[in-house]
Amino acid sequence: MLFVAFVGIFAIPALVPNVFGHGLGGDQAPPLTFGDMEVTVRTELTPSDITVGTIDDINMKVRFFDTITDETLDKVTYRIEVWQSGELLARNLFYDPDGILNVKINPKTGCAEAELWKCTVYGGSEHVSAPGALYVEGEGRPSITGPLFVKGGLYNIRVDIEGATSPKVMLATLLSYDTFVSIAQEQDFLIKTANAEEIPVVVKTYYDEVEDFKFNQNDNSISFNMPFDWSPDYVNLVQVVHEEIRVPKSFAPYAEGKQFKGFINGVEIDQRALLNDPYSYEDTNIVHFLVTKNELQKINEKLGPDNHNNKNMNLKLVPLDEVSKSLTEFYLVDTATNEQVPTTVNISWDGNYGAGEEIPFEITFFDENRDLIRDIRYAISFIDENNKELQRLTGDDSSMPGIVALEGIDLQKIFVPSQGQYRIDILVYGTGLDYNAKYAGIGSGIIEIGPSLPKSPTGTSTMIPSWIKNNAGWWADGSIDDSSFVQGIQYLIKEGIMNIPPTTPGVGSGSNEIPSWIKNNAGWWADGSIDDSSFVQGIQYLIKEGIMKIQS
């Protein structure tokens, strides 16, 4: 353990969230004007991480409050609707005197109705001052029993405020809010290795059911498809797409210490959207796709308008080489009492990175039981040996401070100008949308950065200039012959423009004919249907089969 005292680097703000935000199992809508207030709705599920079929009693909390003062409005009449994939599952009025509504959700399968909402029943008594609105005295809760949360995916909880501050006063104009929560669903798959070994894989999806699961023996990649609406209006509503891939650590390509690259619809995603968790299970690695709205928008921008009508998301995970990690670890203390809080921070990085580079630092938060602290909100400051702050990261929204680490793991890239000793300060604001202070605190660790070292090859990843795709497209449509295509690829490999991972040449079957599927691949690569990695696999095949020979 390492702790370094410091003063004046972080100022601790009074945290009153006043904009919309997404948390684990909860969401907060953008505020609307109500009198002289800016009011909004927050919905939260308890437990926050729900997997289909594992929980019979779910609490849904809905709070109506002023974002400026953080005060809850009272005597509220709510109209609650629950939707999934455009289908209505529940709709009813509820009343709560203190403005914090708690509803018991009882998931129930077996609905035979074409319209699922017809299977839903409600528990509670009509409040005398709010006609039609259900209410329960004391510690009880009104209930909803029906086909809610019986399948995984994204649910839209739509909340209309029909009355507030007095149950007899109905609003002239409804205040309507859309919030979203994710319910997880686990799907089991088997992958078959080159030696016919079968490896169990679990995909835990928080968005929608996955299909077309594939394992590629050439690069040990896992891919699958999932329904997704890429229209810009819909993408703007999605806070995060969360998928987990669980693979036994005993399977060498996914062993502890491995790095990964991720692709969505053939576009490589930012490292920060792909997190590896070797901590939660002793024998299993969990790789998280945590794709934010910003990342989805970047993918849309890169693929162009043609992708807006796409109704599918393809996710691909590619394991890379194991790295030797350097690390520092320290605990946090309460900013007021200077006493230790139950939070330990581990910061690790690839030791091959060094001075003059942007280094990806992995930041992990543990509780007192060495479990990951989920949905944590924090800031980071990078300071040189002269106590000069070189970089500060506090999240994307100054009015709702904090970088959000949904799974308790995050990755941040920081430029390190020169060799030497540096300090990393971490401030944890709290957890969840309400900034629960149990794990809040501040602490720091010392790191030593040396020179940059040569990086190991990153699997089949390659930087191929876009103009090369023209050749592939011409070859695929017959504008140039096989010989011209092969000569072009040979030149690119020899000149180092195209990076082919180590491939052992073979003699093949004696045929020099290029298989038609490789020409198909070239055409698909040229029009963006498959990524660089898939195209490179075809070139590797040509070399292995002796169809293409690379002269030294």
Side-chain angles (χ1 to χ4, degrees), residues 280-298:
S280 294
Y281 295 95
E282 185 175 342
D283 57 355
T284 303
N285 260 342
I286 306 175
V287 183
H288 297 269
F289 279 87
L290 285 167
V291 190
T292 64
K293 175 170 62 180
N294 288 341
E295 191 74 10
L296 294 171
Q297 290 171 333
K298 289 178 183 176

Side-chain angles (χ1 to χ4, degrees), residues 24 49 206 242 244 275 277 280 286 288 290 364-365 372-376 404-410:
L24 188 65
D49 188 1
Y206 291 80
H242 185 186
E244 290 182 10
L275 301 175
D277 170 14
S280 294
I286 306 175
H288 297 269
L290 285 167
T364 310
F365 300 88
L372 293 171
I373 305 172
R374 310 181 79 185
D375 210 10
I376 201 160
V404 183
L406 285 178
E407 295 296 325
I409 306 172
D410 196 29

